[in-house]
Amino acid sequence: MSDTPLSVAHVASEMTPLIKIGGLADVVGALAAEQARRGHRVTVALPAYQAVSLPAGWSSRALDSRPVPWGMGRELARFALASGPDPRLRVLLVDHAGDRSFFDRPGIYDDPRSGEGYPDNAERFLFFCRAALEGLKLLKERFDVLHGHDHQAAWTMCFVRTHELHTPTFKDLATVFTIHNLGYQGIYDPWVLGLAGLGGELFYPASPFEYWGRVNYMKVGLVFADLLSTVSPRYAQEIQTGGEFGAGLEGVLARRAGDLRGILNGIDDAYWDPAADPYLAHRYGPDRMEGKELNRRALIKECGFPSAPEMPLVGMVSRLAEQKGFDLIEQGADALLALGARYVVLGSGEARYQDLFRRLMAAHPDRVHYRSGFDERFAHLIEAGCDLFLMPSRYEPCGLNQMYSLRYGTPPIVRAVGGLADTVQEFDPLTGAGNGFVFQRFDAEEMLAAVRRGLATCRQPGLCARLRRNGMGQDFSWRRSVDRYDALYGEARERVAAGRIATLESVRATI
Ligand code: ADP
Ligand code: GLC
């Protein structure tokens, strides 16, 4: 139990088990559930996308509709409140009842017909933020903490300090904004400011709303939140250094260096548990590893690989995006194939990487298996059935798959960035310490050397067993990280009690 049960409202664009694109969903879902278990009252505001599905044991009821201020006019929002087995955790589904149906569409961020982001994403997530606050007001409760996640939720941080400053629902409210990925900022043309109900006079160089002549949603969140966090200690340092990591916001972050914390994500270790995984035909654990071998055989069969000759399996489950380091796979493809291993890749995303894996599979069907689309079961089977798991990311705010693979006894091979650096340590065959294989520079040769070390270790049963045990014995659960959010909330509330909140006056200059 938490010392001080709080009423916490998360605002996020994804949440497991209702709707998932990537790790954001897993984190919001598992953090909220763990907070509720600890006695907090937790409400998650989520867009009511067409694809949201309520899991078994959940139900929802409609709430009133409300007009939401929108530029000079109003747009109607519809709300529903969903909950599952834990009554302390509720989901506020925020829908748009206007003609353009911002959320009742087949895609989440991207239009599946074009594969591109919806052209009105600026409006969709601005509306979501304004409407989410209207929905929270409908609940007729008080909230202690508003916790926004990534740029889709960023405007809530501003609205509670501007339009909603005197709203009783949000009296004494503390705000926390978490960066899950600085590579996606939500940068749009300045006219959105009018829709947000803010005058053009606020759009001047270095204002919270100005970013190289445009509006940057992530920046708005970074400027207005009482406290900031990101999803690993290493990424918290990296994003203040500029270049690929800071992604142009390093100046804004430098001003808030004292307010930024790195809190490592946890994993839902009941859902990602090889000993109880409903997606696996064969369950296993550190003391009974036979099941892993059976899953391995099942995976080989499902991939259509020949059963002989025997070769180690290297897995990847990932969004196919530049961030994830697929350029190294492209550069090193021939050398990877020469290593005497097989590769299983699950992921959808950018066409150029889909083409790459389709080509590799067509040329080497006995060595490479690629599956596109989103496939939860296959993701679990890859974690369970592979010998090694590869994540050569350019940058990685936290990364969850390396923690899943550690738990499944599938040692990860990672580049030492962000949360990968914080969770994976190079295995030392002499001391037996370490849980995976790590390389430093974004360089195909370095990656290949790490894969070679991994394969060499796999071929030595004693060392391999030790390496697997090291990872399987680690605790990456939310039970470990959730205290740090409690501390963060406490700190933010103290600031608010002392009157230290952002106002349009106090944030006039942001760099
Ligand atoms: P990111 O959020 O940057 O995509 P993370 O490692 O934090 O990366 O989280 C990715 C999550 O999405 C993991 O749970 C992973 O298993 C899952 N995932 C990614 N692609 C797929 C896919 N094609 N099918 C099933 N799960 C996927
Ligand atoms: C982002 C990051 C990933 C992180 C996830 C959850 O999608 O790319 O590294 O694990 O958010 O915080």
Side-chain angles (χ1 to χ4, degrees):
M1 271 310 248
S2 171
D3 296 344
T4 333
L6 299 173
S7 181
V8 180
H10 290 277
V11 183
S13 55
E14 300 177 32
M15 177 198 180
T16 303
L18 279 75
I19 187 81
K20 169 169 169 179
I21 297 287
L24 172 66
D26 288 4
V27 169
V28 172
L31 171 62
E34 183 60 29
Q35 288 176 330
R37 261 193 296 278
R38 297 186 133 218
H40 295 309
R41 182 164 180 72
V42 185
T43 312
V44 183
L46 186 74
Y49 309 108
Q50 216 171 67
V52 166
S53 69
L54 292 184
W58 282 64
S59 60
S60 89
R61 67 183 168 91
L63 304 176
D64 289 342
S65 299
R66 274 265 184 125
V68 175
W70 193 242
M72 308 272 286
R74 282 166 195 273
E75 288 277 308
L76 198 63
R78 235 191 329 252
F79 302 97
L81 198 61
S83 56
D86 185 342
R88 281 177 305 232
L89 173 62
R90 302 169 305 174
V91 178
L92 175 71
L93 290 162
V94 178
D95 208 350
H96 173 226
D99 293 341
R100 289 184 296 153
S101 300
F102 286 151
F103 306 117
D104 188 12
R105 303 177 180 187
I108 308 303
Y109 306 123
D110 298 343
D111 185 340
R113 287 169 307 187
S114 65
E116 307 273 322
Y118 282 112
D120 56 357
N121 273 347
E123 291 174 77
R124 296 174 73 220
F125 292 103
L126 182 69
F127 179 83
F128 167 56
C129 287
R130 196 81 200 257
L133 298 180
E134 288 300 329
L136 292 175
K137 287 194 270 181
L138 263 183
L139 299 177
K140 304 223 174 335
E141 297 168 16
R142 285 273 306 282
F143 294 90
D144 298 306
V145 177
L146 182 71
H147 189 160
H149 299 266
D150 268 355
H151 75 80
Q152 293 86 355
W155 278 101
T156 57
M157 302 287 113
C158 167
F159 292 152
V160 295
R161 297 295 182 239
T162 50
H163 304 311
E164 307 283 358
L165 189 58
H166 301 294
T167 304
T169 307
F170 304 126
K171 188 172 177 316
D172 302 327
L173 179 79
T175 63
V176 167
F177 183 64
T178 297
I179 304 163
H180 292 263
N181 193 335
L182 211 55
Y184 301 84
Q185 298 178 0
I187 300 175
Y188 301 110
D189 290 336
W191 56 265
V192 296
L193 216 54
L195 292 180
L198 297 166
E201 75 283 0
L202 294 170
F203 192 73
Y204 50 85
S207 96
F209 308 104
E210 193 275 348
Y211 179 83
W212 301 103
R214 307 183 80 196
V215 173
N216 181 325
Y217 285 19
M218 187 72 108
K219 177 175 168 179
V220 172
L222 297 179
V223 170
F224 278 95
D226 297 330
L227 284 174
L228 306 174
S229 73
T230 188
V231 290
S232 69
R234 175 70 73 99
Y235 193 59
Q237 293 168 3
E238 289 169 345
I239 55 180
Q240 299 180 55
T241 63
E244 188 150 46
F245 296 121
L249 286 174
E250 53 278 1
V252 178
L253 286 163
R255 264 184 89 97
R256 302 221 54 187
D259 303 332
L260 170 66
R261 311 281 180 273
I263 303 179
L264 191 71
N265 281 336
I267 62 170
D268 180 341
D269 63 353
Y271 183 69
W272 290 94
D273 178 3
D277 189 328
Y279 293 108
L280 298 181
H282 313 281
R283 315 263 160 84
Y284 63 98
D287 302 321
R288 41 184 186 106
M289 290 292 277
E290 312 77 39
K292 182 163 174 70
E293 179 54 30
L294 296 174
N295 287 309
R296 192 172 173 281
R297 284 191 214 148
L299 179 61
I300 290 173
K301 198 160 165 216
E302 193 167 330
C303 294
F305 291 151
S307 48
E310 179 53 46
M311 279 188 206
L313 291 179
V314 181
M316 295 184 90
V317 179
S318 179
R319 287 184 295 118
L320 299 186
E322 194 180 358
Q323 169 195 347
K324 301 293 179 180
F326 292 109
D327 296 323
L328 291 188
I329 307 282
E330 178 153 41
Q331 290 159 30
D334 292 341
L336 281 169
L337 286 162
L339 289 179
R342 296 197 163 101
Y343 301 88
V344 187
V345 180
L346 168 65
S348 49
E350 289 179 37
R352 59 183 164 144
Y353 300 127
Q354 301 211 34
D355 292 347
L356 166 69
F357 288 117
R358 286 203 177 109
R359 270 198 322 271
L360 290 172
M361 180 159 84
H364 310 275
D366 57 334
R367 303 289 298 282
V368 177
H369 183 78
Y370 167 58
R371 189 173 293 187
S372 67
F374 197 90
D375 189 336
E376 189 74 19
R377 182 197 63 85
F378 200 52
H380 285 242
L381 183 59
I382 290 177
E383 294 288 3
C386 282
D387 298 287
L388 294 163
F389 196 89
L390 181 57
M391 292 179 79
S393 304
R394 277 182 190 273
Y395 72 93
E396 195 61 75
C398 179
L400 300 173
N401 277 309
Q402 81 280 15
M403 294 191 266
Y404 299 152
S405 65
L406 285 165
R407 190 153 166 73
Y408 280 65
T410 307
I413 302 166
V414 305
R415 176 154 178 252
V417 283
L420 299 176
D422 287 334
T423 51
V424 184
Q425 294 82 38
E426 177 78 22
F427 180 66
D428 181 341
L430 290 179
T431 63
N435 58 9
F437 303 91
V438 182
F439 64 100
Q440 301 292 327
R441 288 187 309 128
F442 193 75
D443 175 280
E445 283 306 320
E446 283 202 22
M447 176 189 73
L448 282 162
V451 177
R452 263 188 225 107
R453 295 196 298 280
L455 294 173
T457 310
C458 273
R459 292 191 180 101
Q460 302 177 62
L463 286 182
C464 181
R466 174 65 186 258
L467 168 63
R468 284 175 169 171
R469 257 200 321 276
N470 290 352
M472 294 179 91
Q474 287 181 282
D475 177 7
F476 288 112
S477 71
W478 272 109
R479 296 182 291 285
R480 205 180 30 94
S481 290
V482 80
D483 285 340
R484 304 218 37 216
Y485 280 104
D486 275 350
L488 191 68
Y489 293 169
E491 205 186 323
R493 295 181 73 222
E494 277 167 26
R495 286 191 183 213
V496 172
R500 287 175 63 193
I501 61 169
T503 61
L504 283 176
E505 255 323 292
S506 74
V507 295
R508 282 194 63 78
T510 57
I511 47 172

